[in-house]
Amino acid sequence: MKIAVAGTGYVGLSLTVLLAQHNEVRAVDIIQSKVDKLNRFESPIRDAEIERFLSEAKSGKRELHFSATLDADKAYAGVDYAVIATPTNYDDATNSFDTSSVEAAIAAVRKVNQTAWIVIKSTIPVGYTEGLKERLGDEKIFFSPEFLREGHALWDNLHPSRIVVGAPKDDSEAVEAAKKFASLLAEGADPSERERKNADGTTGIPELVLGTTEAEAVKLFVNTYLALRVSYFNELDTYCEVKGLSTADIIHGISLDPRVGDFYNNPSFGYGGYCLPKDSKQLLANYRGVPQDLIRAIVDANDTRKDFIADQVESRIVKLVYEGVNQPVVGVYRLTMKSGSDNFRSSSIQGVIRRLRDKGIPVVVYEPTLADDEFLGCKVTHDAAAFKDRCDVIVANRWSDELSDVADKVYTRDLFRRD
Ligand SMILES: NC(=O)c1ccc[n+]([C@@H]2O[C@H](COP(=O)([O-])OP(=O)(O)OC[C@H]3O[C@@H](n4cnc5c(N)ncnc54)[C@H](O)[C@@H]3O)[C@@H](O)[C@H]2O)c1
């Protein structure tokens, strides 16, 4: 198959590498430096599996059939599938995702190719694809939700929990094209996955063909559930902090119930990253006219948690002043959500920084991956030793052994030192 992928971010790049094992892939972006890096087999993002696959391809140890380009006309002409993996940021003014990059990429495909199946992998509002098809008079568009995690993008596609494609059930041509696309994704997965036994008694990777709108809903509902779970353990932790109870003991006690499970239960400053905040807001917007309490609460809980964290840091500062420390300084250790991540889009610590700044508390940020000297109006340092020395309270969403020598200054809720 000839496949074009629009966007070489976490989603587009991982799909490019996955599909390039067995197909000819043309990766399109609008940023020259990303395209140049890819053509040199260098990853523009930090992802162990992507980096491994690219370096093995460079040394000739692995075959990957792809090229990257800014030339959309050339790339989209003659392909069988065009996969759209461009950003859909949440726009607070319209209360919806900004889908303009998705529509720009689709227009660029159709300019030179009327027959390719267009697969939207970007996350979109529930009901978007059917509305777009009607608006454009174009039946050859379907949607497939993407479930990868940043930092493990290719690993998650090599070992997918499930592959979901959405196409209208009464359009047999679209259903066949969607099934074929699912099989291309499955073909790229690690061969061991073909033998795996699933909890429902089936073998291999589950491939689900759903209605288009149901597939869109799967993506928003799963991410909102994950946001709910994070918020639940965070509010449990807030309760324990206020009441002087051991959060870790209580989480251990409840997580041994197999219906809860001992995973994804480590407290933090809030859910963050590119997808959970925006996808839960989008789902809430989709609920307009439909009764709900919980979806709104999941969105609001994240703000309440960050308010609480900022208040906790403030009370430490007040205590230090009372003890005679002159103008104590708060240090924020890393802007990233997780250790090992190289990006901090919508990380919860940013909300904490804004709140501390609004309280008039001086904040210094330590973030070695950030070239700038200032972030959200706070000074950025790249010198870990000077940072640890200068700060009186160090606020860390995730613990790092680098902080061991100043553990008594650290404020974190990373109780289990993982996730
Ligand atoms: N990041 C994740 O963990 C994740 C997981 C599942 C789904 N998603 C969804 O997938 C989509 C992409 O996310 P991402 O994290 O890969 O984004 P990203 O910002 O990392 O990458 C998007 C890429 O698209 C490029 N681009 C923008 N407009 C373009 C155009 N018109 N033509 C070609 N390229 C264009 C950008 O330059 C960028 O390189 C979003 O809708 C997101 O919600 C992301």
Side-chain angles (χ1 to χ4, degrees), residues 205-266:
I205 304 164
E207 292 176 35
L208 312 186
V209 183
L210 309 179
T212 312
T213 308
E214 283 80 358
E216 291 166 345
V218 165
K219 178 65 199 166
L220 294 189
F221 274 102
V222 74
N223 271 0
T224 306
Y225 173 77
L226 296 174
L228 161 77
R229 187 158 167 126
V230 172
S231 303
Y232 183 81
F233 287 103
N234 282 343
E235 283 204 1
L236 185 159
D237 180 58
T238 298
Y239 183 82
C240 292
E241 279 243 272
V242 171
K243 300 285 183 185
L245 303 174
S246 165
T247 303
D249 283 356
I250 294 174
I251 290 181
H252 185 56
I254 67 170
S255 297
L256 286 172
D257 187 322
R259 293 168 299 180
V260 177
D262 195 4
F263 57 89
Y264 211 58
N265 55 6
N266 190 17

Side-chain angles (χ1 to χ4, degrees), residues 309-338:
I309 296 293
D311 289 349
Q312 291 292 95
V313 176
E314 184 183 29
S315 58
R316 288 200 163 204
I317 291 295
V318 170
K319 188 164 171 274
L320 285 174
V321 171
Y322 186 72
E323 287 166 3
V325 179
N326 187 25
Q327 290 202 314
V329 175
V330 171
V332 163
Y333 179 80
R334 306 299 312 262
L335 297 172
T336 49
M337 272 310 289
K338 303 173 186 178

Side-chain angles (χ1 to χ4, degrees), residues 17 33 62 84 99 125 142 193 252 287 304-305 319-320 323 354 362 402 406 411:
V17 174
S33 58
R62 176 184 292 280
I84 310 298
T99 51
F142 63 89
E193 295 298 332
H252 185 56
Y287 259 86
T304 304
R305 176 66 172 171
K319 188 164 171 274
L320 285 174
E323 287 166 3
R354 282 195 195 91
E402 195 179 8
V406 285
Y411 178 73

Side-chain angles (χ1 to χ4, degrees), residues 1-6 15-16 19-28 65-67 73-83 109-110 113 115-119 142 177 180-181 184 187:
M1 287 278 158
K2 286 193 175 63
I3 303 171
V5 177
L15 291 172
T16 294
L19 292 165
Q21 298 173 94
H22 302 288
N23 305 278
E24 182 196 319
V25 181
R26 303 167 189 173
V28 183
H65 311 278
F66 78 90
S67 58
D73 284 1
K74 254 200 198 148
Y76 296 138
V79 296
D80 303 292
Y81 285 93
V83 179
V109 173
R110 283 293 177 248
N113 188 329
T115 55
W117 283 97
I118 292 178
V119 188
F142 63 89
K180 175 71 191 164
F181 183 72
L184 297 177
E187 180 187 37

Side-chain angles (χ1 to χ4, degrees), residues 5-14 27-31 34 44-45 69 72 76 84-89 97-98 100-106 108 120-124 145-151 153 219 223 273-275 278-279 343 345:
V5 177
T8 63
Y10 292 86
V11 174
L13 184 51
S14 108
V28 183
D29 210 291
I30 51 173
I31 298 176
K34 286 194 166 191
I45 56 172
T69 183
Y76 296 138
I84 310 298
T86 61
T88 49
N89 300 333
F97 285 152
D98 173 359
S100 56
S101 76
V102 171
E103 287 174 37
I106 291 175
I120 302 178
K121 268 279 174 185
S122 303
T123 306
I124 47 179
E146 177 58 61
F147 301 115
L148 61 77
R149 296 162 300 164
E150 287 178 12
K219 178 65 199 166
N223 271 0
Y274 185 39
C275 293
K278 76 178 178 73
D279 292 1
N343 98 68
R345 289 189 286 190

Side-chain angles (χ1 to χ4, degrees), residues 31-158:
I31 298 176
Q32 181 80 54
S33 58
K34 286 194 166 191
V35 165
D36 291 345
K37 272 195 159 181
L38 267 179
N39 285 329
R40 292 196 303 266
F41 295 95
E42 288 168 21
S43 175
I45 56 172
R46 198 167 150 201
D47 185 291
E49 288 298 82
I50 291 177
E51 286 162 39
R52 181 167 72 84
F53 271 55
L54 290 178
S55 92
E56 288 177 2
K58 189 175 187 174
S59 66
K61 220 171 118 189
R62 176 184 292 280
E63 273 189 46
L64 285 183
H65 311 278
F66 78 90
S67 58
T69 183
L70 295 180
D71 189 340
D73 284 1
K74 254 200 198 148
Y76 296 138
V79 296
D80 303 292
Y81 285 93
V83 179
I84 310 298
T86 61
T88 49
N89 300 333
Y90 191 78
D91 182 343
D92 285 309
T94 60
N95 251 343
S96 185
F97 285 152
D98 173 359
T99 51
S100 56
S101 76
V102 171
E103 287 174 37
I106 291 175
V109 173
R110 283 293 177 248
K111 185 177 154 219
V112 293
N113 188 329
Q114 303 304 311
T115 55
W117 283 97
I118 292 178
V119 188
I120 302 178
K121 268 279 174 185
S122 303
T123 306
I124 47 179
V126 181
Y128 173 80
T129 307
E130 286 306 328
L132 182 73
K133 282 165 63 181
E134 204 179 311
R135 196 151 40 87
L136 300 180
D138 190 334
E139 287 302 316
K140 298 193 76 172
I141 304 174
F142 63 89
F143 173 72
S144 171
E146 177 58 61
F147 301 115
L148 61 77
R149 296 162 300 164
E150 287 178 12
H152 303 272
L154 181 55
W155 198 95
D156 285 344
N157 269 320
L158 291 168

